[in-house]
Amino acid sequence: MTITFNKDLTALNTFRMGVSAAAYAEYNSVDELKEILENRELPGPMLPVGGGSNLLFTGDFTGTVLHSCIKGLILKRDNNGISVQVGAGENWDQFCLWAATEGLWGPENLSLIPGEVGAAAVQNIGAYGVEVKDIISGVDVLDTLDHTTGTIDVEECGYGYRESHFKGDWKGRFIVTSVTFRLTDGYAPRLDYGHVREAMQKAYGDKPLIPLMIRDEIIRIRRTKLPAVEELGSAGSFFKNPYVTQEEYEDIADIYPEVPHFPLPDGRVKIPAAWLIEKAGLKGYVKGNAAVYAKQPLVIVNHTGKASPREILSLERKIIRTVKSRFGITLSPEVEHI
Ligand SMILES: Cc1cc2nc3c(=O)[nH]c(=O)nc-3n(C[C@H](O)[C@H](O)[C@H](O)COP(=O)(O)OP(=O)(O)OC[C@H]3O[C@@H](n4cnc5c(N)ncnc54)[C@H](O)[C@@H]3O)c2cc1C
């Protein structure tokens, strides 16, 4: 266990915000986590942070940042199939690489998503037609109310599009300590999203696929679209795609018949936030040290590496205002503001 006071968080958030936490505690086991939660010297609130890739620190954090270093993979093969329990502190993409290298299908479409395994289960990360809930069987947690441990079945986690009870009703209550995934060694490529099938066909023709091939192609596609966090600070997609009423969609389509739109079962229509931001003229827009990423307008970047939280927040407000006045739609951030 390591406890540090006045911890610089620059390397612990992918926006590379130069902020600090009053205290920072790293733990290697569930018992160490319990000890930390019982330590009266540590200031509250307690905030679990993984790779800090979906967070915007809006200033110095006055509580304690908790970081899991619970590592390890336990693989089981039995009559029910193949399952692997992975420590919350494992790097998500390293887990994807491990599975693909073992020839196990499951997380390959989610390759290169930044962050750690624990947060992946909180966020219900998704990409290229797969959500992590599709391969989770259970989530091991520590309950911060009474410090008991337990496993929450995937069906009880309230998973939806980038949603879970961990982010909603249970916010702040459970700390994820490990996650169990169901994987398979039977041929199971998932190619139905966007241009994935076409890209695989182009790269490999009619060859039978292995998970590593899909992983490589997903990584190649992602690299053309998203900034590598090591090179340019960001938190990925900054805004959620808005759901609008049929009438609101028609008002936009009257002026822009080409507006991309996805009808939803409840009668609403999903419109890509990236399209709205681009049409509002903000693709590549630079404001001080912050900018709208030129290749993908859904991403706000720390353009110079020196952006302050205020500059990111000011650009966020500018985008929301401009899209609102152009289309009457209020964008809401996907990135969690701390
Ligand atoms: C370049 C880039 C591309 C991205 N692409 C995608 C994408 O394709 N799809 C996608 O879904 N997301 C994407 N993201 C968003 C992000 O990577 C995911 O949300 C990821 O799961 C966050 O993991 P993290 O470890 O960094 O979590 P953090 O940002 O540190 O935390 C996220 C949330 O989880 C909570 N949390 C973290 N660890 C625990 C724990 N052990 N127990 C309980 N709560 C915890 C935190 O308190 C916070 O509320 C992208 C981000 C970037 C920067």
Side-chain angles (χ1 to χ4, degrees):
M1 179 194 327
T2 322
I3 293 178
T4 315
F5 291 93
N6 292 322
K7 172 82 173 174
D8 176 22
L9 297 178
T10 312
L12 295 163
N13 72 96
T14 58
F15 252 126
R16 302 290 178 252
M17 289 289 114
V19 291
S20 64
Y24 174 80
E26 243 175 28
Y27 51 92
N28 300 296
S29 66
V30 176
D31 284 342
E32 286 189 2
L33 173 58
K34 283 184 194 171
E35 250 184 78
I36 288 168
L37 295 178
E38 280 154 17
N39 184 334
R40 298 276 158 248
E41 281 172 21
L42 293 172
M46 302 266 175
L47 174 72
V49 169
S53 63
N54 198 55
L55 303 179
L56 172 63
F57 283 95
T58 56
D60 291 337
F61 182 63
T62 52
T64 301
V65 164
L66 304 176
H67 184 239
S68 171
C69 288
I70 300 178
K71 305 277 186 189
L73 262 97
I74 304 170
L75 178 68
K76 276 194 201 147
R77 289 173 193 259
D78 58 27
N79 292 343
N80 298 322
I82 301 170
S83 75
V84 58
Q85 185 187 17
V86 187
E90 289 285 355
N91 175 275
W92 171 258
D93 188 54
Q94 286 302 309
F95 165 60
C96 296
L97 172 63
W98 171 85
T101 309
E102 293 290 312
L104 296 174
W105 299 91
E108 63 283 350
N109 290 39
L110 304 174
S111 294
L112 209 64
I113 296 180
E116 296 177 358
V117 166
V122 171
Q123 303 287 96
N124 188 22
I125 55 169
Y128 299 97
V130 176
E131 288 182 307
V132 77
K133 72 167 173 56
D134 304 337
I135 59 166
I136 287 178
S137 63
V139 181
D140 300 320
V141 294
L142 179 104
D143 188 335
T144 59
L145 290 183
D146 56 10
H147 299 186
T148 55
T149 54
T151 303
I152 303 178
D153 190 83
V154 64
E155 303 298 336
E156 290 162 27
C157 294
Y159 283 130
Y161 173 71
R162 304 288 187 279
E163 282 303 336
S164 72
H165 287 328
F166 300 111
K167 292 180 81 176
D169 298 351
W170 298 343
K171 179 88 185 141
R173 177 160 171 198
F174 294 108
I175 297 178
V176 177
T177 53
S178 59
V179 183
T180 303
F181 300 94
R182 280 178 288 103
L183 307 180
T184 175
D185 54 6
Y187 194 68
R190 280 151 306 172
L191 307 174
D192 289 333
Y193 186 88
H195 300 297
V196 178
R197 186 180 301 279
E198 202 181 308
M200 293 306 295
Q201 178 74 30
K202 196 168 162 211
Y204 298 104
D206 291 329
K207 276 190 194 161
L209 301 173
I210 57 170
L212 266 180
M213 290 173 173
I214 300 202
R215 173 180 163 79
D216 287 351
E217 198 53 25
I218 295 285
I219 289 177
R220 191 194 60 74
I221 298 171
R222 287 184 70 95
R223 286 204 168 125
T224 63
K225 296 192 172 166
L226 289 165
V229 288
E230 306 75 39
E231 286 154 28
L232 197 54
S234 86
S237 303
F238 196 93
F239 295 101
K240 291 181 186 156
N241 291 317
Y243 294 177
V244 301
T245 61
Q246 178 68 23
E247 293 72 35
E248 284 170 326
Y249 156 68
E250 283 166 11
D251 288 347
I252 296 174
D254 283 345
I255 306 166
Y256 303 100
E258 76 281 13
V259 56
H261 59 286
F262 305 91
L264 302 167
D266 63 5
R268 290 182 300 166
V269 179
K270 181 168 98 174
I271 298 189
W275 185 88
L276 296 167
I277 297 168
E278 182 169 354
K279 276 287 166 190
L282 292 173
K283 189 174 178 176
Y285 177 79
V286 178
K287 193 164 196 273
N289 292 301
V292 177
Y293 189 50
K295 288 191 208 162
Q296 168 48 277
L298 200 48
V299 178
I300 292 181
V301 293
N302 182 351
H303 182 56
T304 58
K306 294 181 188 144
S308 63
R310 269 183 55 190
E311 286 176 295
I312 303 283
L313 289 168
S314 162
L315 179 56
E316 173 188 2
R317 284 194 300 270
K318 159 99 185 164
I319 296 169
I320 293 174
R321 257 196 329 266
T322 312
V323 168
K324 173 83 181 165
S325 72
R326 177 70 76 93
F327 300 104
I329 294 176
T330 307
L331 292 180
S332 46
E334 176 170 336
V335 169
E336 189 177 333
H337 293 44
I338 304 291

